[in-house]
């Protein structure tokens, strides 16, 4: 994350595409559009929640374009992000401070209602839907991210420069260390500037794989939710993917 590679996707081309095979939803975001959503999310966290460098947020979200906006927004404010994939549902989270309320929590309605989940307490609590538009209902004590984020401008709030030594996650892993891991994983995938990576969202929950590594390499991403394995090759061809994960 620290010292990221320049985006090598042509202006106007999608940097992140999200496709849902079950609903037919498709969202294509250019680098500028994804940056605008991330800036809104950063504004929500910094100006709406009053969070500052080093504060802690928990993210219980699937691979999705909104998740990308939440994560990039949080990291741009210098927050320590505890990302919790669904595969960890019901398992204890072993990280410093996991027994204390987080400064902000982001979770899908499905995971909030899942009896297996131990959703952490948070000072600020947001539900993030994975369908188009705002949520139809929100429980008391929670806010709809898709509504609240629109209260903030598409321009990043004035931020101090991130230091590579700052913690990017509550376990103390720094921005510089995560950046190095992302670049190394991109190298393992043989990702290069201009590549288009198709990702099966059900198989790869960790943002290192579907977000950080591609961005570090200057590649674009096609996130496929509810992807039929039998359709993988046809989808990759239709999306002009150069790599499949």
């Amino acid at each position: 994350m620290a010292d990221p590679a320049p985006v090598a996707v042509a202006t106007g081309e999608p940097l992140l595409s999200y496709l849902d095979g079950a609903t037919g939803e498709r969202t294509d975001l250019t680098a500028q559009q994804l940056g605008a959503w991330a800036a809104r999310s950063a504004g929500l966290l910094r100006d709406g929640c009053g969070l500052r460098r080093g504060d802690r947020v928990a993210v219980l979200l699937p691979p999705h374009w909104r998740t990308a906006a939440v994560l990039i927004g949080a990291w741009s404010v210098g927050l320590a992000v505890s990302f919790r994939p669904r595969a960890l549902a019901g398992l204890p989270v072993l990280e410093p401070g996991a027994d204390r309320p987080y400064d902000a929590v982001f979770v899908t309605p499905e995971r909030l209602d899942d009896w297996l989940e131990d959703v952490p307490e948070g000072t600020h609590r947001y539900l993030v839907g994975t369908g188009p538009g705002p949520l139809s209902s929100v429980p008391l004590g929670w806010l709809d991210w898709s509504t609240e984020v629109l209260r903030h401008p598409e321009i990043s709030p004035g931020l101090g420069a991130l230091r590579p030594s700052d913690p990017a996650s509550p376990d103390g892993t720094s921005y510089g260390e995560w950046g190095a891991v992302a670049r190394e994983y991109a190298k393992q995938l043989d990702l290069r500037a201009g590549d288009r990576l198709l990702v099966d969202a059900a198989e790869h929950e960790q943002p290192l794989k579907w977000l950080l590594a591609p961005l570090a390499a200057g590649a674009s991403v096609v996130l496929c939710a509810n992807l039929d394995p039998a359709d993988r090759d046809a989808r990759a061809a239709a999306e002009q993917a150069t790599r499949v994960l």
Side-chain angles (χ1 to χ4, degrees):
M1 284 177 287
D3 188 26
V7 175
V9 180
T11 302
E13 293 295 318
L15 175 63
L16 176 62
S17 298
Y18 174 79
L19 288 68
D20 189 328
T23 66
E25 177 191 353
R26 182 186 184 106
T27 299
D28 292 299
L29 297 176
T30 64
Q32 181 179 6
Q33 290 168 330
L34 178 57
W37 280 106
R40 287 185 183 276
S41 190
L44 172 65
L45 289 163
R46 197 199 73 160
D47 300 328
C49 300
L51 304 191
R52 294 294 182 266
R53 185 198 306 261
D55 286 339
R56 301 157 53 249
V57 300
V59 177
L60 290 77
L61 302 175
H64 193 275
W65 71 264
R66 287 177 175 164
T67 305
V70 169
L71 291 172
I72 296 173
W75 284 322
S76 69
V77 182
L79 305 181
V81 176
S82 174
F83 184 83
R84 305 184 181 191
R86 190 152 195 165
L88 296 180
L91 298 177
V93 177
L94 304 178
E95 63 182 29
D99 58 337
R100 304 193 312 269
Y102 287 79
D103 298 292
V105 174
F106 300 85
V107 63
T108 60
E110 295 80 10
R111 291 184 69 175
L112 181 65
D113 293 336
D114 189 340
W115 67 272
L116 283 175
E117 290 282 2
D118 184 15
V119 178
E121 291 296 323
T123 304
H124 304 275
R125 304 191 297 176
Y126 295 95
L127 284 183
V128 183
T130 55
L135 297 172
S136 58
S137 62
V138 179
L140 185 65
W142 292 82
L143 294 173
D144 181 356
W145 178 87
S146 66
T147 298
E148 297 302 315
V149 77
L150 293 177
R151 305 182 191 278
H152 300 271
E154 296 181 350
I155 302 173
S156 290
L159 306 172
L162 291 176
R163 297 173 299 228
S165 59
D166 287 339
S169 49
D171 64 3
T173 305
S174 70
Y175 281 91
E177 289 169 332
W178 273 118
V181 171
R183 290 188 291 273
E184 178 59 30
Y185 189 67
K187 184 178 179 180
Q188 292 178 20
L189 294 177
D190 195 26
L191 278 178
R192 303 177 185 181
D195 273 338
R196 188 156 170 80
L197 175 68
L198 186 138
V199 181
D200 185 342
E203 297 294 327
H204 303 284
E205 286 187 273
Q206 289 289 352
L208 170 67
K209 297 182 178 182
W210 62 266
L211 181 64
L212 295 181
L215 294 186
S220 60
V221 183
V222 184
L223 261 181
C224 297
N226 299 303
L227 176 64
D228 186 338
D231 296 335
R232 188 189 306 258
D233 291 343
R235 175 59 65 186
E239 297 296 328
Q240 299 181 324
T242 58
R243 297 285 186 275
V244 177
L245 184 61

